[in-house]
PDB file of all heavy atoms in Angstrom:
ATOM      1  N   LEU S 610       0.833  -1.206   0.000  1.00 88.00           N
ATOM      2  CA  LEU S 610       0.000   0.000   0.000  1.00 88.00           C
ATOM      3  C   LEU S 610       0.869   1.257   0.000  1.00 88.00           C
ATOM      4  O   LEU S 610       0.571   2.227  -0.699  1.00 88.00           O
ATOM      5  CB  LEU S 610      -0.947   0.003   1.204  1.00 88.00           C
ATOM      6  CG  LEU S 610      -2.095  -0.996   1.147  1.00 88.00           C
ATOM      7  CD1 LEU S 610      -2.841  -1.031   2.479  1.00 88.00           C
ATOM      8  CD2 LEU S 610      -3.042  -0.676   0.001  1.00 88.00           C
ATOM      9  N   THR S 611       1.965   1.228   0.756  1.00 90.00           N
ATOM     10  CA  THR S 611       2.889   2.353   0.772  1.00 90.00           C
ATOM     11  C   THR S 611       3.547   2.529  -0.590  1.00 90.00           C
ATOM     12  O   THR S 611       3.655   3.649  -1.109  1.00 90.00           O
ATOM     13  CB  THR S 611       3.959   2.152   1.865  1.00 90.00           C
ATOM     14  OG1 THR S 611       3.303   2.007   3.125  1.00 90.00           O
ATOM     15  CG2 THR S 611       4.926   3.324   1.916  1.00 90.00           C
ATOM     16  N   ALA S 612       3.981   1.420  -1.199  1.00 90.00           N
ATOM     17  CA  ALA S 612       4.605   1.489  -2.526  1.00 90.00           C
ATOM     18  C   ALA S 612       3.609   1.987  -3.569  1.00 90.00           C
ATOM     19  O   ALA S 612       3.968   2.756  -4.463  1.00 90.00           O
ATOM     20  CB  ALA S 612       5.145   0.115  -2.926  1.00 90.00           C
ATOM     21  N   PHE S 613       2.367   1.578  -3.447  1.00 90.00           N
ATOM     22  CA  PHE S 613       1.339   2.037  -4.381  1.00 90.00           C
ATOM     23  C   PHE S 613       1.101   3.534  -4.209  1.00 90.00           C
ATOM     24  O   PHE S 613       1.045   4.283  -5.193  1.00 90.00           O
ATOM     25  CB  PHE S 613       0.035   1.264  -4.169  1.00 90.00           C
ATOM     26  CG  PHE S 613      -1.076   1.724  -5.059  1.00 90.00           C
ATOM     27  CD1 PHE S 613      -1.103   1.366  -6.399  1.00 90.00           C
ATOM     28  CD2 PHE S 613      -2.097   2.526  -4.567  1.00 90.00           C
ATOM     29  CE1 PHE S 613      -2.121   1.796  -7.236  1.00 90.00           C
ATOM     30  CE2 PHE S 613      -3.115   2.960  -5.384  1.00 90.00           C
ATOM     31  CZ  PHE S 613      -3.129   2.599  -6.728  1.00 90.00           C
ATOM     32  N   ALA S 614       0.977   3.979  -2.953  1.00 92.00           N
ATOM     33  CA  ALA S 614       0.722   5.400  -2.694  1.00 92.00           C
ATOM     34  C   ALA S 614       1.918   6.264  -3.096  1.00 92.00           C
ATOM     35  O   ALA S 614       1.745   7.360  -3.636  1.00 92.00           O
ATOM     36  CB  ALA S 614       0.390   5.611  -1.214  1.00 92.00           C
ATOM     37  N   ALA S 615       3.138   5.777  -2.850  1.00 93.00           N
ATOM     38  CA  ALA S 615       4.325   6.588  -3.114  1.00 93.00           C
ATOM     39  C   ALA S 615       4.755   6.565  -4.577  1.00 93.00           C
ATOM     40  O   ALA S 615       5.186   7.583  -5.111  1.00 93.00           O
ATOM     41  CB  ALA S 615       5.477   6.112  -2.237  1.00 93.00           C
ATOM     42  N   THR S 616       4.629   5.395  -5.228  1.00 94.00           N
ATOM     43  CA  THR S 616       5.187   5.274  -6.581  1.00 94.00           C
ATOM     44  C   THR S 616       4.211   4.712  -7.602  1.00 94.00           C
ATOM     45  O   THR S 616       4.568   4.553  -8.769  1.00 94.00           O
ATOM     46  CB  THR S 616       6.434   4.363  -6.580  1.00 94.00           C
ATOM     47  OG1 THR S 616       6.044   3.024  -6.233  1.00 94.00           O
ATOM     48  CG2 THR S 616       7.490   4.873  -5.617  1.00 94.00           C
ATOM     49  N   GLY S 617       2.988   4.373  -7.166  1.00 90.00           N
ATOM     50  CA  GLY S 617       2.019   3.814  -8.098  1.00 90.00           C
ATOM     51  C   GLY S 617       2.297   2.366  -8.470  1.00 90.00           C
ATOM     52  O   GLY S 617       1.814   1.880  -9.493  1.00 90.00           O
ATOM     53  N   GLU S 618       3.071   1.661  -7.650  1.00 89.00           N
ATOM     54  CA  GLU S 618       3.424   0.270  -7.946  1.00 89.00           C
ATOM     55  C   GLU S 618       2.168  -0.601  -8.025  1.00 89.00           C
ATOM     56  O   GLU S 618       1.294  -0.538  -7.170  1.00 89.00           O
ATOM     57  CB  GLU S 618       4.362  -0.286  -6.879  1.00 89.00           C
ATOM     58  CG  GLU S 618       4.788  -1.711  -7.142  1.00 89.00           C
ATOM     59  CD  GLU S 618       5.767  -2.225  -6.102  1.00 89.00           C
ATOM     60  OE1 GLU S 618       6.572  -1.431  -5.592  1.00 89.00           O
ATOM     61  OE2 GLU S 618       5.715  -3.422  -5.799  1.00 89.00           O
ATOM     62  N   ILE S 619       2.102  -1.415  -9.057  1.00 88.00           N
ATOM     63  CA  ILE S 619       0.981  -2.322  -9.272  1.00 88.00           C
ATOM     64  C   ILE S 619       1.461  -3.748  -9.027  1.00 88.00           C
ATOM     65  O   ILE S 619       2.550  -4.126  -9.470  1.00 88.00           O
ATOM     66  CB  ILE S 619       0.429  -2.199 -10.714  1.00 88.00           C
ATOM     67  CG1 ILE S 619       0.026  -0.757 -11.009  1.00 88.00           C
ATOM     68  CG2 ILE S 619      -0.726  -3.150 -10.950  1.00 88.00           C
ATOM     69  CD1 ILE S 619      -1.119  -0.234 -10.171  1.00 88.00           C
ATOM     70  N   LEU S 620       0.642  -4.558  -8.352  1.00 84.00           N
ATOM     71  CA  LEU S 620       1.004  -5.947  -8.096  1.00 84.00           C
ATOM     72  C   LEU S 620       0.795  -6.801  -9.341  1.00 84.00           C
ATOM     73  O   LEU S 620      -0.164  -6.609 -10.084  1.00 84.00           O
ATOM     74  CB  LEU S 620       0.142  -6.529  -6.976  1.00 84.00           C
ATOM     75  CG  LEU S 620       0.374  -6.028  -5.565  1.00 84.00           C
ATOM     76  CD1 LEU S 620      -0.579  -6.720  -4.601  1.00 84.00           C
ATOM     77  CD2 LEU S 620       1.800  -6.261  -5.126  1.00 84.00           C
ATOM     78  N   SER S 621       1.684  -7.775  -9.533  1.00 84.00           N
ATOM     79  CA  SER S 621       1.460  -8.766 -10.580  1.00 84.00           C
ATOM     80  C   SER S 621       0.314  -9.683 -10.134  1.00 84.00           C
ATOM     81  O   SER S 621      -0.101  -9.661  -8.977  1.00 84.00           O
ATOM     82  CB  SER S 621       2.727  -9.595 -10.793  1.00 84.00           C
ATOM     83  OG  SER S 621       2.967 -10.412  -9.651  1.00 84.00           O
ATOM     84  N   ARG S 622      -0.178 -10.481 -11.045  1.00 84.00           N
ATOM     85  CA  ARG S 622      -1.274 -11.402 -10.703  1.00 84.00           C
ATOM     86  C   ARG S 622      -0.826 -12.346  -9.590  1.00 84.00           C
ATOM     87  O   ARG S 622      -1.572 -12.578  -8.643  1.00 84.00           O
ATOM     88  CB  ARG S 622      -1.718 -12.195 -11.925  1.00 84.00           C
ATOM     89  CG  ARG S 622      -2.900 -13.067 -11.606  1.00 84.00           C
ATOM     90  CD  ARG S 622      -3.559 -13.754 -12.794  1.00 84.00           C
ATOM     91  NE  ARG S 622      -2.923 -13.578 -14.064  1.00 84.00           N
ATOM     92  CZ  ARG S 622      -2.547 -14.573 -14.864  1.00 84.00           C
ATOM     93  NH1 ARG S 622      -2.734 -15.813 -14.512  1.00 84.00           N
ATOM     94  NH2 ARG S 622      -1.990 -14.333 -16.025  1.00 84.00           N
ATOM     95  N   GLN S 623       0.398 -12.884  -9.693  1.00 80.00           N
ATOM     96  CA  GLN S 623       0.910 -13.795  -8.677  1.00 80.00           C
ATOM     97  C   GLN S 623       1.003 -13.104  -7.313  1.00 80.00           C
ATOM     98  O   GLN S 623       0.618 -13.673  -6.293  1.00 80.00           O
ATOM     99  CB  GLN S 623       2.294 -14.311  -9.065  1.00 80.00           C
ATOM    100  CG  GLN S 623       2.283 -15.291 -10.210  1.00 80.00           C
ATOM    101  CD  GLN S 623       3.702 -15.627 -10.610  1.00 80.00           C
ATOM    102  OE1 GLN S 623       4.364 -14.793 -11.221  1.00 80.00           O
ATOM    103  NE2 GLN S 623       4.161 -16.801 -10.261  1.00 80.00           N
ATOM    104  N   ALA S 624       1.518 -11.894  -7.288  1.00 80.00           N
ATOM    105  CA  ALA S 624       1.652 -11.160  -6.028  1.00 80.00           C
ATOM    106  C   ALA S 624       0.280 -10.824  -5.454  1.00 80.00           C
ATOM    107  O   ALA S 624       0.080 -10.887  -4.237  1.00 80.00           O
ATOM    108  CB  ALA S 624       2.474  -9.898  -6.228  1.00 80.00           C
ATOM    109  N   ALA S 625      -0.674 -10.473  -6.301  1.00 83.00           N
ATOM    110  CA  ALA S 625      -2.028 -10.177  -5.826  1.00 83.00           C
ATOM    111  C   ALA S 625      -2.669 -11.423  -5.222  1.00 83.00           C
ATOM    112  O   ALA S 625      -3.341 -11.340  -4.185  1.00 83.00           O
ATOM    113  CB  ALA S 625      -2.875  -9.636  -6.971  1.00 83.00           C
ATOM    114  N   ILE S 626      -2.459 -12.572  -5.834  1.00 84.00           N
ATOM    115  CA  ILE S 626      -2.996 -13.823  -5.285  1.00 84.00           C
ATOM    116  C   ILE S 626      -2.341 -14.111  -3.932  1.00 84.00           C
ATOM    117  O   ILE S 626      -3.017 -14.495  -2.971  1.00 84.00           O
ATOM    118  CB  ILE S 626      -2.787 -14.991  -6.273  1.00 84.00           C
ATOM    119  CG1 ILE S 626      -3.693 -14.799  -7.498  1.00 84.00           C
ATOM    120  CG2 ILE S 626      -3.058 -16.338  -5.614  1.00 84.00           C
ATOM    121  CD1 ILE S 626      -3.389 -15.740  -8.647  1.00 84.00           C
ATOM    122  N   GLY S 627      -1.022 -13.899  -3.840  1.00 80.00           N
ATOM    123  CA  GLY S 627      -0.330 -14.090  -2.565  1.00 80.00           C
ATOM    124  C   GLY S 627      -0.865 -13.162  -1.486  1.00 80.00           C
ATOM    125  O   GLY S 627      -1.092 -13.587  -0.355  1.00 80.00           O
ATOM    126  N   ALA S 628      -1.094 -11.898  -1.841  1.00 79.00           N
ATOM    127  CA  ALA S 628      -1.651 -10.944  -0.873  1.00 79.00           C
ATOM    128  C   ALA S 628      -3.053 -11.367  -0.436  1.00 79.00           C
ATOM    129  O   ALA S 628      -3.390 -11.285   0.742  1.00 79.00           O
ATOM    130  CB  ALA S 628      -1.686  -9.548  -1.481  1.00 79.00           C
ATOM    131  N   ALA S 629      -3.847 -11.835  -1.383  1.00 85.00           N
ATOM    132  CA  ALA S 629      -5.204 -12.300  -1.050  1.00 85.00           C
ATOM    133  C   ALA S 629      -5.139 -13.505  -0.109  1.00 85.00           C
ATOM    134  O   ALA S 629      -5.944 -13.615   0.825  1.00 85.00           O
ATOM    135  CB  ALA S 629      -5.969 -12.642  -2.319  1.00 85.00           C
ATOM    136  N   LEU S 630      -4.185 -14.396  -0.329  1.00 84.00           N
ATOM    137  CA  LEU S 630      -4.042 -15.557   0.552  1.00 84.00           C
ATOM    138  C   LEU S 630      -3.615 -15.142   1.956  1.00 84.00           C
ATOM    139  O   LEU S 630      -4.105 -15.694   2.948  1.00 84.00           O
ATOM    140  CB  LEU S 630      -3.039 -16.552  -0.047  1.00 84.00           C
ATOM    141  CG  LEU S 630      -3.518 -17.309  -1.278  1.00 84.00           C
ATOM    142  CD1 LEU S 630      -2.379 -18.119  -1.887  1.00 84.00           C
ATOM    143  CD2 LEU S 630      -4.695 -18.205  -0.947  1.00 84.00           C
ATOM    144  N   ILE S 631      -2.718 -14.160   2.050  1.00 78.00           N
ATOM    145  CA  ILE S 631      -2.316 -13.654   3.371  1.00 78.00           C
ATOM    146  C   ILE S 631      -3.531 -13.088   4.099  1.00 78.00           C
ATOM    147  O   ILE S 631      -3.792 -13.412   5.259  1.00 78.00           O
ATOM    148  CB  ILE S 631      -1.217 -12.575   3.243  1.00 78.00           C
ATOM    149  CG1 ILE S 631       0.096 -13.206   2.791  1.00 78.00           C
ATOM    150  CG2 ILE S 631      -1.022 -11.829   4.567  1.00 78.00           C
ATOM    151  CD1 ILE S 631       1.169 -12.182   2.436  1.00 78.00           C
ATOM    152  N   LEU S 632      -4.282 -12.230   3.425  1.00 80.00           N
ATOM    153  CA  LEU S 632      -5.460 -11.632   4.055  1.00 80.00           C
ATOM    154  C   LEU S 632      -6.496 -12.683   4.414  1.00 80.00           C
ATOM    155  O   LEU S 632      -7.127 -12.617   5.473  1.00 80.00           O
ATOM    156  CB  LEU S 632      -6.061 -10.572   3.132  1.00 80.00           C
ATOM    157  CG  LEU S 632      -5.217  -9.311   2.972  1.00 80.00           C
ATOM    158  CD1 LEU S 632      -5.822  -8.394   1.924  1.00 80.00           C
ATOM    159  CD2 LEU S 632      -5.068  -8.590   4.292  1.00 80.00           C
ATOM    160  N   ALA S 633      -6.702 -13.679   3.539  1.00 85.00           N
ATOM    161  CA  ALA S 633      -7.668 -14.749   3.830  1.00 85.00           C
ATOM    162  C   ALA S 633      -7.236 -15.530   5.070  1.00 85.00           C
ATOM    163  O   ALA S 633      -8.069 -15.861   5.925  1.00 85.00           O
ATOM    164  CB  ALA S 633      -7.802 -15.672   2.626  1.00 85.00           C
ATOM    165  N   GLY S 634      -5.939 -15.817   5.186  1.00 80.00           N
ATOM    166  CA  GLY S 634      -5.456 -16.528   6.362  1.00 80.00           C
ATOM    167  C   GLY S 634      -5.675 -15.735   7.637  1.00 80.00           C
ATOM    168  O   GLY S 634      -6.078 -16.285   8.663  1.00 80.00           O
ATOM    169  N   ILE S 635      -5.435 -14.435   7.578  1.00 75.00           N
ATOM    170  CA  ILE S 635      -5.649 -13.585   8.749  1.00 75.00           C
ATOM    171  C   ILE S 635      -7.130 -13.556   9.119  1.00 75.00           C
ATOM    172  O   ILE S 635      -7.500 -13.686  10.292  1.00 75.00           O
ATOM    173  CB  ILE S 635      -5.107 -12.169   8.485  1.00 75.00           C
ATOM    174  CG1 ILE S 635      -3.584 -12.214   8.406  1.00 75.00           C
ATOM    175  CG2 ILE S 635      -5.561 -11.189   9.563  1.00 75.00           C
ATOM    176  CD1 ILE S 635      -2.957 -10.949   7.884  1.00 75.00           C
TER     177      ILE S 635
END
């Protein structure tokens, strides 16, 4: 979120799936 806000970084599909899995686990 910080990288997105500061530089507009977009997640790849793989990274987005990984982030979704982290959030789902939490």
Side-chain angles (χ1 to χ4, degrees):
L610 288 172
T611 302
F613 178 76
T616 65
E618 181 178 327
I619 304 295
L620 290 180
S621 68
R622 184 171 5 126
Q623 288 174 286
I626 291 169
L630 289 172
I631 290 171
L632 290 174
I635 291 168

